[in-house]
């Protein structure tokens, strides 16, 4: 079994990396494509872009538990392959879209089929021993980090040949990934570990109700919810914050995001494998959430642009909390329910991707407007620090119940 684990983990990492590269490729040119289709200003195009992201997140919120349940019934391989193929179709819709409505249709398809990270996480849980799961879940973060270094750069280069070229490249990446998986990817879920598909559990509400029978999981999911919302203080506000406070241009913003991606890849792909075996998953949760809080506070009060790079260190090191929480959660459920629990976590993340950006961008707008009670661009970061500390408290209460 151990001999099979390393190649399988390598495949899942490559699969998720290619997926994220595909997502990252389209980031630099999406505003231009929307502008070409609508003729609107960049300001209006940004609103359309926000609604497209909201559409994707909302559809994924609804369908992630369904996809997770299907992977528990029929195995990870067919669901993962369907996801990769679905992303390829989505990118083709975007590449040849004659109207804005086609972009929305493509995002709906991607939201329904966007099971690569849900199923990939379940796959990792299948092939990992309990003590190695948190470290292996770090591969998800490493794939995100590297993908968002390579993807936007490649998209910017390809975008010079036309706004639709990066979408065609992303489709090509997805279909090549699908072929790679079709011929190489083995099934990870044994037949004896599969369960019957249940419609009452194949939706966000049903999935969370079923997870409520696990007290440890339910409390940790509450902690994750607060952390996911808190992260949008940075993820949704970074560009606005550094422009408002330091006057950075697009190139400087790109360099900073590349630095975040590089540090994330190092921490999630390498350091986490050194740190977690020494401190354990529980301490990984506490230390990670504390570092996140410190990072948020430092960001909030940064007075020079260079400080943002220095303060990335505690903030990115805080990301050891996510795999630690995910590892603990996965050890609390049966092998036949790994797809369901990962689908529920993906659904949760999609929900917070709807709520978090709205909350944090509006708070930023409030404290940078002329009518602000006090001018303070770092207000979302302070709220994020508070939410993270409350999440740490909830995690502590839950982990006291862990056997």
């Amino acid at each position: 079994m151990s001999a099979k684990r390393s190649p399988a983990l390598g495949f899942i990492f490559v699969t998720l990396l290619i997926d994220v590269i595909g997502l990252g490729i389209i980031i630099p040119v999406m505003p231009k494509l929307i502008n070409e289709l609508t003729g609107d200003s960049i300001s209006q195009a940004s609103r359309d872009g926000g609604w497209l992201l909201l559409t994707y997140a909302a559809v994924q919120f609804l369908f992630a538990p369904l996809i997770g349940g299907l992977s528990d019934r029929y195995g990870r391989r067919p669901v993962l392959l369907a996801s990769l193929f679905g992303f390829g179709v989505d990118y083709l819709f975007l590449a040849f879209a004659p109207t804005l409505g086609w972009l929305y249709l493509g995002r709906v398809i991607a939201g329904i089929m966007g099971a690569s990270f849900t199923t990939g996480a379940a796959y990792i849980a299948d092939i990992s021993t309990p003590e190695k799961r948190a470290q292996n879940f770090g591969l998800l973060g490493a794939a995100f980090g590297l993908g968002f270094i390579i993807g936007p750069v490649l998209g910017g280069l390809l975008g010079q040949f036309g706004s639709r070229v990066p979408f065609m490249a992303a489709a090509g990446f997805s279909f090549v990934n699908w072929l790679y998986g079709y011929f190489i990817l083995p099934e990870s879920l044994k037949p004896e570990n599969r369960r019957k598909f249940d419609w009452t559990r194949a939706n966000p509400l049903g999935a969370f109700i079923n997870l409520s029978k696990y007290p440890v999981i339910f409390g940790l999911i509450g902690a994750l919810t607060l952390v996911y919302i808190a992260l949008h203080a940075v993820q949704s506000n970074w560009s606005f914050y550094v422009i408002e406070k330091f006057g950075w241009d697009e190139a400087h913003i790109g360099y900073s995001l590349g630095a975040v991606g590089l540090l994330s890849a190092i921490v999630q792909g390498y350091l986490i494998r050194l740190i977690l075996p020494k401190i354990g998953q529980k301490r990984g949760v506490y230390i990670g959430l504390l570092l996140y809080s410190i990072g948020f506070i430092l960001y909030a009060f940064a007075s020079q642009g260079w400080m943002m790079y220095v303060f990335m260190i505690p903030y990115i090191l805080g990301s050891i909390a996510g795999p630690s929480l995910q590892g603990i959660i996965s050890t609390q459920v049966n092998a036949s329910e790994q797809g369901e629990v990962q689908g529920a976590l993906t659904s949760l993340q999609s929900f917070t991707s709807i709520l978090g950006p709205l909350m944090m961008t509006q708070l930023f707008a409030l404290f940078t407007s002329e009518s602000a009670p006090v001018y303070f661009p770092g207000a979302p970061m302070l709220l994020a620090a508070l939410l993270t500390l409350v999440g740490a408290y909830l995690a502590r209460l839950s982990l006291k119940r862990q056997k």
Side-chain angles (χ1 to χ4, degrees):
M1 182 67 180
S2 60
K4 296 179 180 179
R5 279 186 185 133
S6 182
L9 280 172
F11 172 82
I12 290 297
F13 175 76
V14 171
T15 296
L16 301 180
L17 175 62
I18 293 175
D19 259 14
V20 178
I21 290 173
L23 290 170
I25 278 178
I26 69 176
I27 289 175
V29 292
M30 181 63 88
K32 185 178 180 181
L33 178 59
I34 295 173
N35 176 257
E36 290 175 359
L37 292 175
T38 63
D40 293 329
S41 65
I42 290 298
S43 176
Q44 180 58 42
S46 69
R47 295 179 182 175
D48 289 324
W51 282 110
L52 286 167
L53 289 173
L54 177 63
T55 299
Y56 174 77
V59 174
Q60 190 173 67
F61 168 71
L62 294 173
F63 281 87
L66 171 66
I67 298 300
L70 289 174
S71 77
D72 281 340
R73 172 65 183 89
Y74 298 104
R76 317 301 184 204
R77 173 183 157 86
V79 173
L80 188 57
L81 291 178
S83 168
L84 297 175
F85 193 84
F87 266 121
V89 172
D90 165 52
Y91 292 133
L92 289 179
F93 266 92
L94 300 179
F96 296 101
T99 66
L100 187 64
W102 282 67
L103 297 188
Y104 281 97
L105 179 58
R107 293 287 81 186
V108 169
I109 293 173
I112 294 172
M113 303 302 294
S116 55
F117 273 80
T118 299
T119 313
Y123 197 109
I124 289 173
D126 291 339
I127 64 174
S128 303
T129 58
E131 60 273 14
K132 289 286 187 179
R133 278 182 186 165
Q135 299 170 50
N136 291 338
F137 280 138
L139 290 175
L140 301 177
F144 257 110
L146 283 175
F148 275 103
I149 297 171
I150 300 170
V153 173
L154 189 57
L157 293 173
L158 294 175
Q160 298 177 18
F161 300 98
S163 62
R164 297 175 186 262
V165 173
F167 296 93
M168 298 177 191
F173 271 116
S174 293
F175 288 130
V176 168
N177 208 5
W178 176 79
L179 285 172
Y180 178 45
Y182 182 82
F183 289 107
I184 294 176
L185 181 67
E187 178 55 63
S188 64
L189 186 63
K190 298 178 181 179
E192 61 268 24
N193 289 333
R194 300 182 187 187
R195 64 176 176 87
K196 291 183 178 180
F197 183 79
D198 185 353
W199 280 104
T200 63
R201 294 162 59 175
N203 60 82
L205 181 60
F208 286 119
I209 289 176
N210 183 62
L211 292 179
S212 67
K213 66 185 181 184
Y214 302 100
V216 173
I217 285 183
F218 210 58
L220 292 179
I221 284 177
L224 269 177
T225 301
L226 295 178
V227 173
Y228 285 156
I229 292 173
L231 290 174
H232 280 283
V234 173
Q235 294 172 0
S236 298
N237 272 329
W238 182 268
S239 297
F240 300 109
Y241 182 73
V242 295
I243 290 172
E244 175 71 21
K245 200 162 185 179
F246 308 116
W248 286 4
D249 58 16
E250 292 85 350
H252 204 157
I253 293 170
Y255 298 147
S256 67
L257 292 176
V260 170
L262 179 60
L263 287 174
S264 296
I266 293 172
V267 171
Q268 297 280 330
Y270 176 67
L271 288 183
I272 200 170
R273 295 177 174 274
L274 300 178
I275 296 171
L276 286 186
K278 294 181 179 179
I279 66 175
Q281 293 181 12
K282 285 186 179 181
R283 287 184 179 176
V285 171
Y286 301 142
I287 294 173
L289 294 181
L290 178 61
L291 287 170
Y292 262 149
S293 298
I294 293 172
F296 285 131
I297 293 171
L298 291 174
Y299 278 154
F301 291 101
S303 58
Q304 300 290 329
W306 61 265
M307 294 180 178
M308 300 298 285
Y309 288 93
V310 176
F311 297 161
M312 286 178 189
I313 297 173
Y315 175 77
I316 299 300
L317 283 172
S319 64
I320 66 173
S324 298
L325 282 166
Q326 202 169 2
I328 293 171
I329 289 172
S330 71
T331 60
Q332 300 298 305
V333 301
N334 299 323
S336 62
E337 295 179 309
Q338 290 294 337
E340 180 181 33
V341 73
Q342 298 303 331
L345 293 179
T346 300
S347 186
L348 171 68
Q349 194 163 15
S350 298
F351 172 72
T352 58
S353 294
I354 299 170
L355 179 62
L358 181 63
M359 178 188 298
M360 296 303 181
T361 55
Q362 292 303 309
L363 188 62
F364 176 84
L366 173 63
F367 280 90
T368 55
S369 68
E370 294 181 358
S371 59
V374 59
Y375 178 78
F376 186 47
M381 278 75 165
L382 280 190
L383 175 60
L386 177 61
L387 291 175
T388 304
L389 291 173
V390 173
Y393 176 72
L394 291 178
R396 180 171 175 78
L397 292 179
S398 297
L399 290 175
K400 284 183 178 180
R401 304 172 184 170
Q402 187 182 15
K403 296 178 181 180

